[in-house]
Amino acid sequence: MIRDITIGQHFPGNSLVHRLDPRMKIILTMGYIVLLFLAANPGGLVLATVLLGILYRVAKIPLKLIVKSLKPILPIILFTVVLNLFFITGQGSPLFEMGFIKVYIEGVRYAVLMGVRIVLLIAGTSLLTYTTSPISLTDAIERLLSPLAKLHCPVHELAMVMTIALRFIPTLIEETDKIMNAQKARGAQLDSGTLQQRMKAMVPILIPLFVSAFRRADELAMAMECRCYRGGEGRTRLKQLRLTSTDWASFGVCMVIFAGIWATNLLFTGL
Amino acid sequence: MAAIIRAENLTHIYGQGMPDAATAIENLNFEIEEGEFVGLIGSTGSGKSTLINHFNGILKPTTGKLYVDGQDMWADPKQIRKFRFLVGLVFQYPEYQLFEETVEKDIAYGPTNMGLSPQEIAQRVQQAAQLCEIDSEMLKKSPFELSGGQKRRVAIAGVIAMRPRVLVLDEPAAGLDPEGRDNILSQIKAYHKETKTTVVLVSHSMEDIAKYADKVIVMNQSKIAMYDTTEKIFARAQELLQMGLSVPQVTKIFLKLRELGIDVPTDVYTIPYAVKTILAAKAAKEGGKV
């Protein structure tokens, strides 16, 4: 049901991956994503998969969770794979032909590569959110973006908006559950009927949900003002982010592996 | 009278098969007879809410069976909506489920889902509004303009308009001022008397239970600890206190009097009855003197 959503969930722990500086983790994750699209051959992606597998092991995140977080985006993966399969044309003769559909060996290759890429993309970014609490994540984003503050960009405010948004996801899920039950008790039919009927059936859920979200926002703003919140200027932190030697060492190791993955491009050009 | 709700070994386990599975209710066997006003009490986490969510099929029992009006509720899961109209459930803070443009339309939401004719719906809305003291001017307003107590009454009217045979209310008076509290509860009692609808009232206020319920179910640690008439339940004050529950103030006074060696009954739980016993005791004493 609605409570099964795992994307963006945090799993507390005390592994090496958990303890890394969140800024470092964000940068490395971003590097990893870029790399996934740079690696244009199976060898590189195999290496990238192995690297991620090891990191998941170190972080002690059960593999079941990855499967769970991949479920909702399965349609996107399938769509991409099918699209690549049918629309990439290669030189040689097609492997398979049926009417206007022609499947080439290149198409199969790209389809598999794209599928693996998207899976790794989700699994990689999930690792970041699994091992980093939302608070330290936004903290890190704020620090990483702090140079923009000089250009009068409200970096602190944006980070605060993100923290609040993340904080309210579970609350709103719970609220939705409650409202759904209340309307079901009044005979609402949510899971049957035509598409139009189903959309109509959502109205009794969405309106109370919006009303309560606005009420909560109002209450929270009031509570923040009561505690003299006035934005980021001159605000000090309970937990100062400091890069340690472990962070730099991990950065170095990851960079070497990243370089290795990239280098496979040169090795497997023939494939 | 026949049992309108009957539970057989009713058990519900949240997240069964997971390492954090929690048994919310365990092996419940009980019957609620048609036309009764039953109070349901128990400390937080004792399984009250889980139990009432079973009454109209919001939750499905993990094992065991629940019969409503003699029919097995989950014999055909597709028919579950039928039971939702048979058992009306008013959740905690029901005012947050209001969504229509006008109070009238919101009260009509349940009956409309039942597929009734427009005349029937209009008539039910009128009657439910009258029972909950919602005047015609308020019916035309948006539910979001009303006060907290008014919203609560509209939400309850929305369930009453479905004319369920059993009305289940989860703390209908929570968060209201004393006047709003008395208003809502006495309206429910009046509705119960008038229509002979079975009512299950969940409350943390022993005073309210004492005042309105004929029978009381006491839940403790996922099980039914007691199920008896109200006076017999409140006579077992010591056990209730051990479960983290309480007894009405007036019962506490009578228990203290008894501790002091004064011979008074222990099953006093309402003020009128207390006054009567005190007057009787006084009369007996004066009669003895003369």
Side-chain angles (χ1 to χ4, degrees):
Chain A
M1 264 284 289
I2 193 156
R3 282 165 194 257
D4 292 341
I5 299 166
T6 54
I7 283 188
Q9 223 173 316
H10 172 53
F11 288 86
N14 196 27
S15 70
L16 181 68
V17 186
H18 281 89
R19 274 178 286 131
L20 271 189
D21 189 290
R23 286 173 290 175
M24 200 55 104
K25 276 193 269 190
I26 291 177
I27 291 173
L28 288 175
T29 309
M30 275 166 38
Y32 186 74
I33 294 168
V34 172
L35 199 68
L36 283 179
F37 288 89
L38 281 180
N41 63 79
L45 286 181
V46 167
L47 258 180
T49 315
V50 171
L51 172 67
L52 199 63
I54 293 171
L55 286 176
Y56 264 90
R57 242 349 236 291
V58 173
K60 293 194 181 103
I61 305 274
L63 283 168
K64 260 197 295 185
L65 276 176
I66 312 175
V67 179
K68 225 174 160 187
S69 67
L70 282 175
K71 242 189 224 161
I73 53 143
L74 199 65
I76 303 175
I77 299 176
L78 282 178
F79 184 70
T80 321
V81 168
V82 169
L83 221 61
N84 274 296
L85 200 59
F86 292 153
F87 290 100
I88 300 241
T89 48
Q91 283 106 23
S93 59
L95 271 182
F96 174 82
E97 216 176 328
M98 204 178 82
F100 64 96
I101 296 170
K102 288 192 184 97
V103 177
Y104 293 88
I105 181 86
E106 283 88 348
V108 176
R109 202 188 114 133
Y110 271 105
V112 172
L113 282 188
M114 274 320 273
V116 172
R117 262 184 202 143
I118 297 175
V119 168
L120 287 181
L121 186 77
I122 300 296
T125 43
S126 297
L127 182 66
L128 176 68
T129 52
Y130 285 154
T131 59
T132 321
S133 73
I135 300 290
S136 50
L137 206 58
T138 45
D139 218 18
I141 292 172
E142 187 182 341
R143 289 290 297 273
L144 285 173
L145 295 180
S146 59
L148 290 179
K150 293 208 172 69
L151 301 171
H152 297 289
C153 176
V155 173
H156 168 80
E157 282 72 12
L158 286 177
M160 184 56 93
V161 167
M162 258 170 66
T163 314
I164 292 169
L166 286 172
R167 156 70 185 75
F168 273 92
I169 291 174
T171 313
L172 289 178
I173 289 178
E174 203 178 303
E175 191 100 11
T176 315
D177 225 35
K178 265 192 199 161
I179 296 170
M180 275 169 84
N181 281 345
Q183 306 299 24
K184 266 197 227 160
R186 293 210 277 167
Q189 269 181 311
L190 303 174
D191 33 24
S192 55
T194 63
L195 187 66
Q196 206 189 350
Q197 280 172 329
R198 277 196 225 188
M199 302 251 277
K200 250 183 145 176
M202 289 309 282
V203 173
I205 290 161
L206 290 178
I207 291 178
L209 190 64
F210 270 96
V211 171
S212 91
F214 281 115
R215 197 190 64 243
R216 278 178 199 282
D218 218 30
E219 280 167 7
L220 180 68
M222 186 95 82
M224 283 166 83
E225 262 170 23
C226 286
R227 298 211 272 169
C228 304
Y229 177 78
R230 57 187 171 84
E233 217 174 304
R235 203 171 157 80
T236 55
R237 293 176 188 288
L238 182 62
K239 275 186 193 154
Q240 290 280 0
L241 290 177
R242 262 192 210 97
L243 290 171
T244 60
S245 48
T246 325
D247 291 317
W248 288 115
S250 322
F251 182 69
V253 171
C254 283
M255 276 302 138
V256 171
I257 300 171
F258 285 2
I261 294 172
W262 197 14
T264 55
N265 271 1
L266 307 171
L267 289 173
F268 294 91
T269 40
L271 253 169
Chain B
M1 259 187 268
I4 183 89
I5 290 180
R6 184 158 63 89
E8 248 180 46
N9 303 320
L10 190 69
T11 301
H12 193 90
I13 302 167
Y14 284 110
Q16 199 187 20
M18 302 276 276
D20 58 345
T23 307
I25 50 175
E26 203 180 338
N27 241 340
L28 305 188
N29 287 290
F30 66 91
E31 276 181 10
I32 292 174
E33 284 187 4
E34 182 135 38
E36 279 183 332
F37 196 120
V38 180
L40 179 58
I41 57 175
S43 51
T44 314
S46 59
K48 295 180 307 267
S49 293
T50 307
L51 176 60
I52 61 166
N53 278 340
H54 278 87
F55 286 168
N56 77 344
I58 294 291
L59 288 177
K60 193 179 175 184
T62 310
T63 57
K65 286 216 164 93
L66 194 66
Y67 297 90
V68 172
D69 197 22
Q71 302 169 65
D72 180 3
M73 222 171 167
W74 289 95
D76 180 8
K78 283 191 187 122
Q79 295 293 311
I80 198 68
R81 257 180 106 215
K82 189 176 75 184
F83 292 99
R84 299 218 167 115
F85 300 132
L86 220 55
V87 181
L89 186 49
V90 180
F91 285 91
Q92 259 177 46
Y93 299 101
E95 56 272 32
Y96 295 140
Q97 74 199 35
L98 303 177
F99 69 97
E100 277 286 12
E101 293 154 54
T102 65
V103 169
E104 195 171 9
K105 279 190 191 167
D106 206 283
I107 298 176
Y109 178 65
T112 310
N113 281 333
M114 295 172 80
L116 300 171
S117 69
Q119 296 94 323
E120 174 80 20
I121 293 172
Q123 196 226 326
R124 285 187 175 208
V125 170
Q126 281 306 325
Q127 197 208 10
Q130 209 175 9
L131 275 166
C132 296
E133 288 180 6
I134 298 163
D135 55 36
S136 54
E137 191 193 336
M138 210 153 91
L139 278 178
K140 298 278 172 252
K141 279 191 184 171
S142 156
F144 300 107
E145 291 171 29
L146 308 178
S147 75
Q150 288 171 327
K151 277 188 199 168
R152 186 79 57 97
R153 289 214 297 273
V154 171
I156 294 174
V159 175
I160 284 180
M162 290 159 62
R163 294 205 189 143
R165 303 240 324 253
V166 185
L167 182 63
V168 185
L169 301 119
D170 193 354
E171 296 225 42
L176 294 183
D177 60 22
E179 199 194 336
R181 196 180 181 90
D182 281 344
N183 267 343
I184 282 193
L185 292 173
S186 51
Q187 275 156 20
I188 292 165
K189 184 78 181 175
Y191 172 70
H192 163 73
K193 274 196 180 144
E194 201 176 311
T195 60
K196 302 279 175 287
T197 306
T198 315
V199 176
V200 178
L201 174 70
V202 179
S203 180
H204 279 301
S205 158
M206 300 302 140
E207 260 76 24
D208 290 346
I209 294 285
K211 202 165 160 191
Y212 298 106
D214 311 321
K215 274 185 161 186
V216 181
I217 298 176
V218 183
M219 289 205 63
N220 188 35
Q221 291 174 354
S222 321
K223 290 195 171 116
I224 289 184
M226 306 175 202
Y227 183 18
D228 217 326
T229 55
T230 311
E231 66 257 26
K232 279 186 187 153
I233 293 286
F234 287 129
R236 293 160 77 177
Q238 211 53 48
E239 288 168 68
L240 288 174
L241 290 171
Q242 267 168 16
M243 291 174 201
L245 295 168
S246 185
V247 289
Q249 290 291 341
V250 55
T251 314
K252 278 189 193 159
I253 293 171
F254 272 71
L255 287 171
K256 260 285 184 307
L257 285 174
R258 218 181 156 79
E259 260 176 49
L260 292 170
I262 300 162
D263 186 31
V264 287
T266 49
D267 61 349
V268 177
Y269 61 93
T270 58
I271 307 264
Y273 185 41
V275 172
K276 223 197 263 173
T277 33
I278 291 171
L279 287 178
K282 198 175 161 217
K285 204 173 170 189
E286 278 165 3
K289 261 184 189 173
V290 176

